[in-house]
Structure formats: C-alpha cells, structure tokens
Amino acid sequence: MKDGYWLVGFQYEVTGTLYSLGRIPQCKVAMLKHLKPGSRVLIAGVGHGTEAIEASKLGMHVTAVDLSKAMLDHLQKRIDKYQPPTPIRVVHDDIFNIKDVEQYDMVIGNFFLNVFGENMVQKVANHLATLAKPGGYFVVGDFMLPEKGWRGWLQRLNWYVAIGIYSATTEAVLHPVWNYAGLVEGSGCKVQEIQYFRILGLKLYWSILGKKPGG
C-alpha cells in the first residue's frame, strides 16, 4: 500500500496543534463525552492518535485504522509512551476494507474526510456510518464551513493554507471546504450536536455529532 504521509507524517500532530493554537486536539476529543467506559470506538484515519489515547484512558475499546504506516508508527510510539489502560487495536488498512458493520458505539472521522475529493467524500462518509450500531454515533471534526462575509474569507484562508501544504506533500486532494454536517446527514445520521472551536472569536473548526437511527 502506498503511504501518502511517509514524508510529512512525523510532524503532523505537532504542526496541527501549533497551527490551530491547540484547537484541533480539542476538536478531536470533544464528543467522547457521549460515551461510557466499555464502549466500542472506531477511529478512521487515526494519525498520531490523540482521540485514540484519550478514549482508551476513558475505558473505551478502541480500533484505530490508518492506511499510512508512518502515521501508525507514531501512534505506536504514543501508546508505548502513555501506556493507556485499555488496549488499542491498531489496523493498517484501507477503511473500505473494514467490514465491521454496526459494531461500534461511535465511529470517528476527524480531519479524515478532508483528504478526499468530491467524487469520494460522501462514499467514505456513508461507509463510516455503516460501521456504527443502530442508535450509535458518527462523529466528524474538521475545518469550519465558511460563513458569509469577511469571516468566511478568513475561514477559507485557514483551510487553503493547510490543504495547500498537504496537497503538495501528500495525496490529499485540493478542494473547497466540505459541508461536513451535510455529509453526516447524507450518511443517514441525524446531527445531534455541533461544537465550535474559535480563535479570537472566529469559528475555525467544528465537531459534529450524528446519531444513527434505531437502537
């Protein structure tokens, strides 16, 4: 499998934290509050595993999936460092090869859907939603959908600086900011909560909690 992050994976977590003044890590763990110890959580595109480590500390059973071996190597280093109390199952594979349909209390795709182009992003969201149990959650944290006026221009700038760098150094696709709340709804999950993360009062990131029907 080709590793699109072999070149820049080592600095991914630190850069994201500095660039967002700590808001991206906060966004990644925001919706874990809706789960109880013992819940099953799948994290797609886990990267260095901020939310995986936190979920394990909260007593959840975590499956961490990433196509990038470089990213998973860094996740393993963090597991070795923090020794989270609940074992984390690490899977090196394409998310479409994960067939655990309706097995998870929460499926998380933080800063993951943004690597896909228009012809793929809804397909990926739909697949992630199939992995959540009926009545379970589908969570997406990502860059804020631009608003109207000057705020929207600053929100776009925040996004295009980031995607410009990563589209030049990885296999991420250059595209406008997707409507992640719309992608969650399009997957068949009902948006229950949105939490915004601001810098100087400007919404730059959002975490969206969708609930799957049934259960």
Side-chain angles (χ1 to χ4, degrees), residues 1-3 64-70 72 90-94:
M1 292 178 286
K2 187 176 181 181
D3 189 343
V65 183
D66 209 300
L67 188 59
S68 169
K69 179 65 163 53
L72 293 180
V90 178
V91 180
H92 179 212
D93 209 343
D94 188 306

Side-chain angles (χ1 to χ4, degrees), residues 46-58:
V46 67
H48 290 204
T50 296
E51 59 271 70
I53 299 294
E54 183 63 22
S56 176
K57 289 179 179 179
L58 294 172

Side-chain angles (χ1 to χ4, degrees), residues 11 19 24 43 47 52 79 100 104 120 122 130 136 146 154 156 164 183:
Q11 52 74 57
Y19 181 73
I24 286 177
I43 303 169
I79 292 172
D100 304 334
Y104 296 95
M120 278 295 296
Q122 187 67 66
T130 69
L154 291 176
R156 288 183 183 90
L183 291 170

Side-chain angles (χ1 to χ4, degrees), residues 3-20 24 28 47-48 68 70-71 74 111-112 114-116 142-143 157-175 205:
D3 189 343
Y5 285 82
W6 70 270
L7 181 64
V8 297
F10 73 95
Q11 52 74 57
Y12 182 82
E13 194 77 12
V14 172
T15 302
T17 300
L18 293 175
Y19 181 73
S20 68
I24 286 177
K28 288 182 175 181
H48 290 204
S68 169
M71 290 295 203
H74 288 286
F111 300 88
F112 174 61
N114 65 29
V115 306
F116 299 100
D142 222 297
F143 285 76
L157 177 63
N158 182 55
W159 162 245
Y160 279 112
V161 169
I163 192 58
I165 293 170
Y166 280 101
S167 64
T169 56
T170 73
E171 295 180 313
V173 177
L174 183 63
H175 58 75
Y205 311 96

Side-chain angles (χ1 to χ4, degrees), residues 75-193:
L75 169 61
Q76 189 59 55
K77 289 178 182 177
R78 297 188 81 187
I79 292 172
D80 295 340
K81 177 180 179 180
Y82 293 108
Q83 294 291 309
T86 307
I88 296 174
R89 176 187 169 216
V90 178
V91 180
H92 179 212
D93 209 343
D94 188 306
I95 192 61
F96 282 111
N97 292 330
I98 306 302
K99 307 294 186 182
D100 304 334
V101 175
E102 298 186 348
Q103 295 299 305
Y104 296 95
D105 299 289
M106 180 177 283
V107 175
I108 301 174
N110 287 330
F111 300 88
F112 174 61
L113 296 179
N114 65 29
V115 306
F116 299 100
E118 186 174 9
N119 62 332
M120 278 295 296
V121 65
Q122 187 67 66
K123 294 177 183 178
V124 178
N126 293 348
H127 177 69
L128 293 179
T130 69
L131 305 178
K133 294 178 180 178
Y137 298 110
F138 175 28
V139 172
V140 176
D142 222 297
F143 285 76
M144 180 68 194
L145 182 68
E147 300 171 286
K148 294 181 179 179
W150 63 268
R151 290 182 176 84
W153 289 108
L154 291 176
Q155 290 160 336
R156 288 183 183 90
L157 177 63
N158 182 55
W159 162 245
Y160 279 112
V161 169
I163 192 58
I165 293 170
Y166 280 101
S167 64
T169 56
T170 73
E171 295 180 313
V173 177
L174 183 63
H175 58 75
V177 182
W178 300 135
N179 181 355
Y180 296 102
L183 291 170
V184 170
E185 292 270 358
S187 75
C189 299
K190 180 68 174 177
V191 172
Q192 300 286 299
E193 180 182 340

Side-chain angles (χ1 to χ4, degrees), residues 20-31 33 110-111 140-144 155 158 193-208:
S20 68
L21 300 182
R23 304 309 191 271
I24 286 177
Q26 294 170 8
C27 182
K28 288 182 175 181
V29 302
M31 295 303 175
K33 63 187 178 183
N110 287 330
F111 300 88
V140 176
D142 222 297
F143 285 76
M144 180 68 194
Q155 290 160 336
N158 182 55
E193 180 182 340
I194 296 177
Q195 187 170 338
Y196 298 100
F197 299 85
R198 297 172 169 86
I199 295 177
L200 298 177
L202 181 67
K203 298 175 184 176
L204 292 178
Y205 311 96
W206 54 341
S207 182
I208 301 146

